[in-house]
Amino acid sequence: MKSDAIDLIDKLYDKASSLYKRKSDAIKKMAMPVLEDVYRTRKETVEFVAVPFTDGKKVVNTRTNLEKVINTGGDELIRSFEKTVVLGMIDEAWKDHLRQMDELKQSVQAAVYEQKDPLLIFKFEAFELFKNMLYELNRDIASFLFKGNIPLQQGSQVQQASSRERKRDEGLQTSRRDTFGDQNRQIAGNAGEPKKQKPVHVEKVGRNDPCPCGSGKKYKKCHGAPNRINA
């Protein structure tokens, strides 16, 4: 029975690997004519390019070395795509996990009222959260790698990626926020210089003026009284 399960796992793995290889070859076949054109016409000025991949829900901009992509026949593009997806999703999952741990730390305090050990409950729940994070992370990475594809239609959509934009381009973004580029960057670029904040003016309250607290008393007999302790 155990050997049958192992054989089934091996067959599924071989099928998945074969499917992923065919998908990767199709991506290279689609992307290489565009990237070769960019390399032929702009190789002196373009070192890295940002190539968008989407699974229909999220978009990841993959920053890759143009010359390496050409020299490897597109293999470098696939490696950059895989690295960007894995690192981006690990980063997102870990941030969510830390937020959940903070919420857990607050919630287990109530265990004291139930005469339970908060530390014991925290350790157990934290371990379950970590297991769930690993499961969901592996599932989401595999899903994006198998579903991810290039929505490029023409060479003008290939953008030069500078090292300064690397962190922004390699992050995962939902399609509502960003379809093929960072809309926030476009908004920031059109906004110009940030508006200067106006200084805040505080008017001085006279001793015989009504107290700002709304009590109806004069300031000198309310919050302005010498012996009054302000909260």
Side-chain angles (χ1 to χ4, degrees):
M1 188 68 180
K2 188 176 180 180
S3 60
D4 292 339
I6 294 176
D7 290 340
L8 179 60
I9 292 173
D10 290 338
K11 289 179 180 179
L12 288 174
Y13 177 80
D14 292 338
K15 279 283 187 181
S17 298
S18 177
L19 176 63
Y20 185 73
K21 186 179 184 307
R22 290 199 301 271
K23 172 185 169 295
S24 299
D25 291 340
I27 290 175
K28 289 187 287 186
K29 185 177 180 180
M30 180 193 305
M32 286 307 293
V34 177
L35 295 174
E36 286 172 351
D37 180 66
V38 174
Y39 183 74
R40 183 172 57 255
T41 58
R42 291 187 283 164
K43 64 179 179 180
E44 292 81 7
T45 58
V46 177
E47 181 180 3
F48 292 90
V49 291
V51 181
F53 286 81
T54 180
D55 66 344
K57 295 179 180 180
K58 292 183 178 181
V59 172
V60 54
N61 286 318
T62 299
R63 180 180 182 272
T64 187
N65 185 285
L66 180 59
E67 185 173 2
K68 287 184 179 179
V69 171
I70 301 301
N71 293 338
T72 59
D75 290 341
E76 179 66 19
L77 175 61
I78 302 301
R79 284 195 293 267
S80 298
F81 165 61
E82 294 169 347
K83 180 181 71 173
T84 303
V85 170
V86 172
L87 293 179
M89 287 195 170
I90 288 176
D91 183 61
E92 282 191 348
W94 187 246
K95 289 177 182 177
D96 289 340
H97 179 67
L98 292 180
R99 282 194 291 268
Q100 291 175 351
M101 291 293 287
D102 285 338
E103 294 172 0
L104 175 62
K105 185 164 56 175
Q106 298 296 326
S107 65
V108 296
Q109 300 300 325
V112 176
Y113 302 106
E114 301 176 8
Q115 296 183 344
K116 297 179 181 179
D117 185 359
L119 181 60
L120 186 63
I121 295 176
F122 179 80
K123 288 181 178 179
F124 176 79
E125 294 293 338
F127 181 67
E128 291 298 317
L129 284 177
F130 187 74
K131 284 200 306 183
N132 291 336
M133 181 196 71
L134 292 181
Y135 169 78
E136 293 175 0
L137 180 61
N138 289 328
R139 180 198 62 194
D140 293 343
I141 288 175
S143 175
F144 198 100
L145 289 178
F146 273 90
K147 294 179 181 178
N149 217 323
I150 299 178
L152 290 180
Q153 298 296 329
Q154 54 187 7
S156 60
Q157 289 179 274
V158 177
Q159 299 177 353
Q160 180 179 357
S162 64
S163 57
R164 185 172 54 185
E165 296 175 329
R166 180 173 184 175
K167 290 184 179 180
R168 290 181 295 183
D169 285 339
E170 290 186 353
L172 290 172
Q173 301 136 346
T174 60
S175 55
R176 286 186 303 174
R177 281 186 58 242
D178 188 343
T179 305
F180 299 127
D182 195 340
Q183 294 177 354
N184 292 335
R185 257 185 290 157
Q186 296 175 358
I187 295 172
N190 296 330
E193 296 182 359
K195 295 182 179 179
K196 296 181 179 179
Q197 297 292 331
K198 295 182 179 179
V200 178
H201 298 284
V202 179
E203 296 182 0
K204 186 176 180 180
V205 181
R207 288 179 51 78
N208 292 318
D209 293 339
C211 186
C213 72
S215 64
K217 298 179 181 180
K218 291 184 178 181
Y219 179 68
K220 66 181 180 181
K221 292 184 178 181
C222 190
H223 280 74
N227 297 326
R228 181 178 177 85
I229 300 176
N230 294 324

